[in-house]
Amino acid sequence: MSKLLQSYDMNGTLLANRVLMAPMTRSRTQDTVPDAKTALYYRQRAGAGLIVTEGSQISIEGTGYLFTPGIHTPEQIKGWQAVTKGVHEEGGKIFIQIWHVGRISHVSLQENGAAPISSVDEPAHGCTCFGYDESGQPGPVPLSTPRALTKDGIARVTTDFVTAAKNSMEAGFDGIEIHGANGYLFEQFINAGCNNRTDEYGGSLENRLRFTLDAVDAMADAIGSSKVGIRLAPYGRLHDMHSFDDEENTWLTLAGKLTERDLAYVHLSDQESLCNAAIPKDFIRKFRNAYKGTLVIAGSLTQETAEELVNSGVADLAGFGRPFISNPDLVERFRNNWPLTPFDPATFYGGGDEGYIDYPVYRESVDDEVRAG
Ligand SMILES: Cc1cc2nc3c(=O)[nH]c(=O)nc-3n(C[C@H](O)[C@H](O)[C@H](O)COP(=O)(O)O)c2cc1C
């Protein structure tokens, strides 16, 4: 059997195979509370070795998009409990991606119309988020100018992350994935092209990594390091992230520091399909050498390229995003060499059941054709 389809011990969490469903925002949550359809959507995809949920905000302040779920209220925890129960009943494992967007936000999403927070008081240029426009209608809106977090503010956001991590355990998740990628809050500190602070959270590499590593430690202390994963996007360019002088060294140093922390995994997000920014291949090898724990790689993979990554030891787990939307039984299709249903970007975000919970598994679709024919 192909190694990709074999079981894997992820620092104590046993996965049925090495195929990970990558986190994907679906923007279908009313009032930020996961509902029965959310539960059905994830249950349908429980054949993944590990599901990572859509980004879920740790606080109102962490919100950048309407109709995304949270993990900071009792109602949200209860909604997620039904999701984790469903996935576990199908024999799957599920982590929640916990998210603070930082400056990728708008005053209409913030409590009392406050300015969003970031490492800096500079907005991300040329970007939008999804809030309420001037006439109160939901839609893409230009980003509001953020305020730079004070040291007390950084401590408070770290506490919000810890509370979200504990809430995630109460919701029955097998672990959490910290969203450290795609130009959101942690990257706004790590990226020297963005972070121009002059205190101990900016400037030197050690300072730029401080918030991320302190937050990782605080969450690991709260729920156990083996339940904490983190997603990173080295060389990522989403949301006004730019190249900077010691870019390679920044990510490789972080890889070493994360190895010391004995986490569930590190998940690299290749943004080639999102904004044409691929992680250089030779860098991935270097990262693999620098990071000794479980490494996940996601972005534009096929079964073939995923098998290459896993067989060669470059990655331990292979992440698939869009193929999982249109193929709830993706792993079974890999196992049987069944063809994949193409995904439809028009139904990625928002809308109803179509493109969300109505994709059939392969057997059903074949049976339907037989019946129809
Ligand atoms: C509809 C959609 C929503 C996404 N939402 C998230 C998200 O919430 N968090 C995240 O880290 N990445 C998100 N991504 C990126 C995916 O996790 C993945 O890295 C990307 O789709 C590339 O993998 P693929 O080529 O297998 O789709 C999203 C991608 C898509 C297509």
Side-chain angles (χ1 to χ4, degrees):
M1 199 206 306
S2 126
K3 198 170 173 189
L4 184 66
L5 303 179
Q6 287 171 16
S7 60
Y8 182 76
D9 181 348
M10 189 182 75
N11 207 358
T13 302
L14 294 179
L15 310 181
N17 56 70
R18 298 162 195 224
V19 178
L20 175 143
M21 176 175 164
M24 281 178 294
T25 294
R26 303 308 312 270
S27 306
R28 281 166 164 91
T29 311
Q30 296 306 317
D31 301 326
T32 72
V33 176
D35 61 13
K37 289 184 181 177
T38 322
L40 176 59
Y41 170 71
Y42 287 111
R43 180 191 274 268
Q44 289 171 335
R45 289 158 179 78
L50 180 67
I51 292 175
V52 183
T53 71
E54 62 212 278
S56 307
Q57 52 267 359
I58 60 157
S59 57
I60 293 175
E61 182 194 79
T63 310
Y65 304 87
L66 288 168
F67 313 122
T68 53
I71 183 70
H72 54 91
T73 70
E75 294 75 23
Q76 293 161 353
I77 295 171
K78 193 157 173 263
W80 282 122
Q81 276 166 348
V83 174
T84 58
K85 184 167 178 279
V87 170
H88 289 150
E89 278 171 4
E90 300 295 327
K93 295 279 159 55
I94 181 165
F95 273 41
I96 180 172
Q97 188 183 56
I98 60 172
W99 193 19
H100 192 307
V101 298
R103 65 180 182 168
I104 312 303
S105 186
H106 184 257
V107 287
S108 67
L109 297 167
Q110 298 289 322
E111 244 166 328
N112 304 319
I117 58 94
S118 181
S119 57
V120 292
D121 53 15
E122 268 286 302
H125 297 287
C127 306
T128 55
C129 65
F130 200 81
Y132 292 108
D133 66 17
E134 279 165 10
S135 54
Q137 292 305 308
V141 285
L143 302 181
S144 304
T145 300
R147 64 202 147 94
L149 277 173
T150 60
K151 280 201 293 192
D152 285 350
I154 292 172
R156 201 243 323 131
V157 174
T158 304
T159 303
D160 289 345
F161 267 103
V162 169
T163 305
K166 289 182 182 162
N167 290 346
S168 304
M169 293 299 102
E170 196 182 331
F173 284 102
D174 297 291
I176 58 168
E177 176 177 287
I178 301 165
H179 198 340
N182 300 354
Y184 296 115
L185 184 60
F186 288 112
E187 221 182 296
Q188 292 161 29
F189 277 82
I190 296 169
N191 186 298
C194 168
N195 181 348
N196 61 10
R197 296 174 75 100
T198 52
D199 63 1
E200 61 262 53
Y201 292 94
S204 70
L205 172 54
E206 192 185 355
N207 286 355
R208 282 183 287 111
L209 297 183
R210 189 181 310 284
F211 171 44
T212 305
L213 290 172
D214 285 353
V216 167
D217 287 342
M219 284 181 262
D221 281 350
I223 65 168
S225 67
S226 66
K227 294 188 180 306
V228 176
I230 184 166
R231 193 169 216 214
L232 304 172
Y235 296 90
R237 298 291 176 255
L238 277 178
H239 295 125
D240 206 23
M241 290 291 122
H242 296 278
S243 62
F244 52 97
D245 272 353
D246 63 343
E247 197 161 14
E248 177 177 291
N249 182 38
T250 293
W251 298 112
L252 295 180
T253 302
L254 182 56
K257 303 261 179 214
L258 291 172
T259 301
E260 293 163 15
R261 283 158 168 90
D262 193 28
L263 301 180
Y265 62 82
V266 170
H267 184 174
L268 297 186
S269 164
D270 181 297
Q271 297 176 346
E272 184 160 27
S273 69
L274 303 174
C275 68
N276 250 344
I279 309 178
K281 290 273 177 296
D282 63 329
F283 172 81
I284 293 182
R285 287 230 163 246
K286 288 182 195 168
F287 194 95
R288 164 81 286 182
N289 291 335
Y291 181 66
K292 310 291 182 207
T294 294
L295 183 63
V296 189
I297 297 181
S300 311
L301 296 184
T302 61
Q303 180 175 3
E304 203 182 3
T305 55
E307 277 174 354
E308 270 167 34
L309 281 176
V310 170
N311 288 339
S312 63
V314 172
D316 301 294
L317 305 175
F320 289 84
R322 295 161 301 167
F324 252 117
I325 291 181
S326 50
N327 299 275
D329 55 341
L330 187 66
V331 175
E332 273 310 289
R333 294 191 191 218
F334 286 167
R335 202 181 295 282
N336 295 288
N337 285 317
W338 290 332
L340 299 190
T341 303
F343 47 78
D344 175 11
T347 55
F348 279 175
Y349 300 105
D353 297 356
E354 192 193 347
Y356 185 39
I357 49 174
D358 68 342
Y359 279 110
V361 296
Y362 182 71
R363 273 287 154 215
E364 284 169 5
S365 63
V366 170
D367 291 348
D368 282 351
E369 274 167 37
V370 170
R371 270 197 292 277

